[in-house]
Amino acid sequence: MSGVFFYARKDAENNKRMFIFITIAIALSTANIIILNGVMDGITDDFLDRTMETTSGHLNIYPNEKDRYIEGLGIKEQKLQGIEGVIAYSPRITAGGALSYKEKSRSVNIFALDPSKENRVTVLLSKIDSGETLKANDRDGILISYRLAEELNAKAGDETTIVFEKGNTRVFKVRGILRTGMAMDTNTVIINFETAAEQLNLNNKASIILIRLSDKALSGQYKDIVSGKLGMQKVKEWKEEVESMWSTIRTYKEIIATINAIGLFAAAVSVGVILYINIIHKQRQIGIMKAIGMKDFQILSVYIIEAAVLGTIGILMGDALGYMGIKYLQAHPFSDPTLGSIAPRLYSYLFYDASLVTMLIVILAAVYPALMAGRMNIIKAIWGN
Amino acid sequence: MEIIKTSDLTKNYTLGKVDVKALNGVDSSIEEGEFIAIMGPSGCGKSTFLNMIGMLDTPSSGEIYIDGRDVTEMNSSAMAEYRLKHIGFIFQFFNLFNELTAIENVMFPMMLNKQPNYKERAKELLDLVGLGDRLHHLPSELSGGQQQRVTIARSLANSPKILLADEPTGNLDTRSSVEIIELFRKLNLEQGQTIVMVTHSMEIGEKADRIIHFRDGKVMEG
Ligand SMILES: Nc1ncnc2c1ncn2[C@@H]1O[C@H](COP(=O)(O)OP(=O)(O)OP(=O)(O)O)[C@@H](O)[C@H]1O
Ligand SMILES: [Mg+2]
């Protein structure tokens, strides 16, 4: 094989300029995969984390089939306290209603919660854009989402009125403006649990109970325990809650994959075409190689080895470029009005995957020209047609 | 001992609708250690014959024995192996690898043959052809005659039994041609190489032990 390696090296050295071009194409394609997927992972991770930490517990208990509310809240809370591994829980009431400020009025989703409990489960109440958050036992305060605030032109300190489902009306003072980076920013208001229960005539009831476990990885195991002990049929894990988002994420991943494929295709074409041209150009020499006794397989190997070496160099460059790109974007993240800042992730799997896929494509692209070189007819190769 | 023998060798090419009989029943016999010149008018099948006995191409019919072996039975990989070890080629031009220096060109077949000490032997061979001072020149930095001498050195790399040369001096001036033929003669005498050389020049042909005359794809008797 030493003769094969020897010739492959010489050939590559003598086509430096062409091969530098190939290497750059490979490097860019590899870096493209790493950076785009890193950014995508950043977006999905942030998105999932944010959704999780604001809207869901590790386990969420929903009302039984046909019930609108979870009944017997007090007893359920007691039972939850008795389950080891349940760190905290927060019951919420969700309801529809209308919010009016001055002459304007909007329909809203009302989240009613107990801040002292909620704060031990989610970070929802910390997502304040301006003003203050809702404090425990603040029965008159309200947080309104920033899009609502913009539409109604309301700000912290203003007095607003809520009309509840049952027709009750109550005045609330805006404590702060909420900004979560999620869909709930459109038309959500947050008020005190007790106040809502009173207005909606709900006694000892909740719409949902969010539960925090000592470790979110335990959700599967605790799902049945909680369900059994509380006699509730509908307990969902956090994973199930975000499941609906996966289809959106998958769509984005497909878009990214398409862009990557285009980059890879460009790299593959440049590898294939440049090797092909090089081989056509060198027909005579290939004929001579065969005449002096090189086997078809050895000639094929020359070009596969060249591609593999160029691939390796290009991929290493691409990995380095990808690493620097991700580091740069982590230091200078994109900013997005709803998601906040978007920074890519630096996962090692990205480097393995990108390197492996690129190498595979590069070798595949080299196969056709290499086969062509190996199978060339000696006489035709030396003397032309 | 007979080293090359062909019997009723034919090679047909189809050019469009016309059948060309490049070889039309060639019977020939070449002894080991002979220095043969093949002569004849253009298009009479000299190169085709050389390509057949050098296993660069396969005949349409007939038999070729090299060193007692029927080579028409071999597959392409076995043929390549045989060429590597036992046959040296010298063409009229385009012989050398442009990106390899003189010494690398000579080393290459030895590396393919996993021969140890290939560097030393390449030097010796280049010395032998009088190019000991041009080891690291690229083909483009050598004259036509020097290039042919490098080619000869390379063809000798794996000590083949047979050297096949197709108009090796066709591209050279008289002085360089004479040098090449003298080199062939020297190799033939000192190393016992069997040499089969195609040439158009009577002057050069006469330097061989024997001339085989070709006409219309056949060996002329006499
Ligand atoms: N690949 C080919 N396809 C078709 N016909 C061919 C091919 N190679 C050779 N021939 C024909 O076969 C005949 C013999 O060709 P060959 O090259 O052996 O002649 P030659 O004696 O070497 O001639 P020259 O002295 O000009 O080199 C010619 O008529 C040529 O046109
Ligand atoms: Mg000829």
Side-chain angles (χ1 to χ4, degrees):
Chain A
M1 211 57 183
S2 72
V4 171
F5 278 109
F6 173 74
Y7 188 82
R9 201 189 78 210
K10 287 289 166 179
D11 189 50
E13 278 173 12
N14 274 273
N15 290 290
K16 258 184 226 135
R17 225 176 300 168
M18 273 205 278
F19 288 157
I20 284 172
F21 177 72
I22 294 189
T23 319
I24 290 172
I26 296 171
L28 290 178
S29 155
T30 312
N32 180 37
I33 296 177
I34 292 170
I35 294 172
L36 280 181
N37 284 293
V39 170
M40 188 64 211
D41 284 349
I43 294 174
T44 51
D45 285 9
D46 283 354
F47 191 58
L48 290 179
D49 282 356
R50 251 169 257 182
T51 310
M52 275 297 304
E53 67 186 13
T54 49
T55 62
S56 173
H58 297 155
L59 288 175
N60 298 328
I61 307 174
Y62 290 90
N64 287 339
E65 203 96 11
K66 289 183 192 139
D67 289 347
R68 189 168 167 204
Y69 296 102
I70 299 166
E71 308 282 341
L73 182 61
I75 296 170
K76 301 226 148 81
E77 290 192 54
Q78 269 176 18
K79 284 184 177 166
L80 281 172
Q81 279 167 20
I83 301 175
E84 209 185 334
V86 172
I87 301 279
Y89 54 86
S90 173
R92 288 180 182 177
I93 292 169
T94 55
L99 176 75
S100 37
Y101 174 64
K102 293 186 179 158
E103 289 88 51
K104 288 183 191 162
S105 175
R106 289 283 177 281
S107 67
V108 291
N109 286 325
I110 302 167
F111 281 13
L113 42 79
D114 179 339
S116 57
K117 289 177 183 163
E118 182 72 24
N119 285 338
R120 297 182 59 206
V121 181
T122 76
V123 297
L124 177 60
L125 293 178
S126 69
K127 303 285 178 183
I128 298 299
D129 203 28
S130 63
E132 288 172 1
T133 191
L134 195 65
K135 296 208 173 63
N137 304 320
D138 178 0
R139 294 190 150 231
D140 304 320
I142 188 170
L143 298 178
I144 67 178
S145 62
Y146 83 98
R147 299 266 287 277
L148 261 181
E150 277 169 13
E151 282 175 31
L152 297 176
N153 226 341
K155 54 191 180 307
D158 291 341
E159 287 202 335
T160 57
T161 311
I162 286 197
V163 183
F164 289 90
E165 279 169 14
K166 297 261 162 73
N168 286 356
T169 303
R170 194 182 192 282
V171 172
F172 290 91
K173 192 157 193 180
V174 177
R175 304 287 186 215
I177 310 297
L178 193 69
R179 189 182 195 117
T180 60
M182 291 183 309
M184 68 161 71
D185 283 343
T186 355
N187 62 345
T188 303
V189 301
I190 297 176
I191 58 171
N192 183 278
F193 189 91
E194 297 301 331
T195 312
E198 219 171 83
Q199 296 298 321
L200 291 163
N201 255 326
L202 299 174
N203 189 15
N204 213 11
K205 290 176 186 174
S207 309
I208 184 172
I209 305 174
L210 313 184
I211 295 172
R212 184 180 184 83
L213 301 172
S214 55
D215 182 351
K216 77 173 173 183
L218 296 174
S219 61
Q221 183 182 331
Y222 274 87
K223 178 180 175 175
D224 294 335
I225 298 175
V226 168
S227 169
K229 290 215 165 152
L230 272 63
M232 299 298 295
Q233 294 143 14
K234 216 173 151 194
V235 180
K236 280 204 201 172
E237 292 178 59
W238 59 274
K239 286 181 224 159
E240 301 170 74
E241 298 289 359
V242 293
E243 213 145 72
S244 63
M245 291 193 291
W246 276 109
S247 69
T248 316
I249 289 169
R250 246 173 250 132
T251 311
Y252 281 105
K253 291 218 165 183
E254 274 161 27
I255 294 170
I256 298 277
T258 310
I259 297 171
N260 287 330
I262 293 169
L264 269 176
F265 184 73
V269 166
S270 71
V271 171
V273 166
I274 287 177
L275 276 184
Y276 182 85
I277 292 171
N278 184 31
I279 285 165
I280 291 291
H281 200 70
K282 292 251 170 81
Q283 273 193 62
R284 275 205 182 103
Q285 303 226 1
I286 292 168
I288 298 288
M289 278 193 231
K290 292 189 147 195
I292 66 166
M294 217 166 165
K295 291 175 185 155
D296 297 6
F297 174 75
Q298 291 178 310
I299 291 170
L300 177 130
S301 304
V302 165
Y303 295 99
I304 299 286
I305 289 168
E306 279 184 18
V309 169
L310 294 174
T312 307
I313 297 170
I315 286 167
L316 287 177
M317 276 165 56
D319 285 344
L321 212 65
Y323 180 84
M324 292 187 303
I326 287 188
K327 282 286 172 197
Y328 177 84
L329 288 174
Q330 283 179 340
H332 307 85
F334 298 110
S335 68
D336 178 272
T338 47
L339 285 178
S341 73
I342 298 170
R345 293 295 194 274
L346 194 71
Y347 292 136
S348 53
Y349 92 90
L350 279 177
F351 289 82
Y352 295 130
D353 284 10
S355 306
L356 210 72
V357 168
T358 312
M359 190 49 122
L360 216 72
I361 296 288
V362 167
I363 300 284
L364 272 180
V367 165
Y368 175 72
L371 271 176
M372 187 186 75
R375 287 180 181 168
M376 228 175 243
N377 177 286
I378 305 180
I379 305 291
K380 276 188 190 155
I382 298 177
W383 301 114
N385 294 318
Chain B
M1 201 204 132
E2 205 170 43
I3 193 163
I4 301 167
K5 178 178 152 59
T6 66
S7 60
D8 205 16
L9 194 63
T10 69
K11 178 70 178 179
N12 304 321
Y13 291 109
T14 336
L15 271 182
K17 282 177 182 149
V18 193
D19 273 346
V20 181
K21 293 194 165 172
L23 295 179
N24 192 11
V26 177
D27 296 309
S28 69
S29 167
I30 294 167
E31 293 291 315
E32 184 157 11
E34 262 195 303
F35 181 1
I36 299 282
I38 295 182
M39 300 192 70
S42 185
C44 68
K46 305 181 295 294
S47 297
T48 308
F49 176 70
L50 213 64
N51 293 342
M52 294 297 147
I53 60 177
M55 291 181 238
L56 295 183
D57 207 351
T58 47
S60 303
S61 71
E63 284 156 358
I64 306 170
Y65 291 91
I66 310 277
D67 222 3
R69 262 178 91 180
D70 184 356
V71 302
T72 52
E73 308 272 289
M74 290 185 185
N75 65 21
S76 87
S77 169
M79 285 186 189
E81 184 86 22
Y82 199 91
R83 285 196 297 270
L84 179 67
K85 296 200 154 104
H86 305 298
I87 299 176
F89 281 99
I90 300 125
F91 300 106
Q92 186 175 349
F93 31 56
F94 313 133
N95 280 295
L96 297 174
F97 299 110
N98 301 325
E99 58 270 355
L100 304 188
T101 60
I103 189 167
E104 287 169 343
N105 261 285
V106 180
M107 277 156 44
F108 188 38
M110 293 189 259
M111 295 172 84
L112 290 173
N113 197 24
K114 303 189 180 69
Q115 192 174 311
N117 308 325
Y118 50 79
K119 216 165 196 168
E120 288 72 41
R121 179 154 166 77
K123 264 186 214 152
E124 283 168 24
L125 287 169
L126 284 166
D127 268 336
L128 180 74
V129 300
L131 289 174
D133 56 344
R134 295 283 194 281
L135 300 182
H136 302 294
H137 285 233
L138 289 169
S140 57
E141 297 160 354
L142 296 170
S143 74
Q146 289 171 333
Q147 287 179 24
Q148 284 308 62
R149 284 191 274 155
V150 174
T151 308
I152 293 169
R154 188 184 66 193
S155 71
L156 294 169
N158 291 320
S159 314
K161 293 196 173 103
I162 304 166
L163 284 191
L164 302 177
D166 195 348
E167 299 185 47
T169 60
N171 238 16
L172 305 179
D173 62 17
T174 319
R175 223 196 76 184
S176 310
S177 301
V178 169
E179 279 174 13
I180 298 290
I181 297 312
E182 280 168 358
L183 181 57
F184 276 156
R185 177 50 83 189
K186 185 171 136 190
L187 293 169
N188 174 252
L189 288 177
E190 290 176 7
Q191 311 197 10
Q193 233 100 31
T194 307
I195 299 174
V196 183
M197 171 185 70
V198 172
T199 181
H200 276 283
S201 152
M202 201 55 215
E203 216 176 316
I204 286 173
E206 277 171 347
K207 296 234 159 75
D209 296 337
R210 179 160 69 99
I211 300 177
I212 299 179
H213 290 278
F214 267 64
R215 174 153 298 170
D216 299 332
K218 279 188 162 166
V219 174
M220 276 169 52
E221 303 301 326

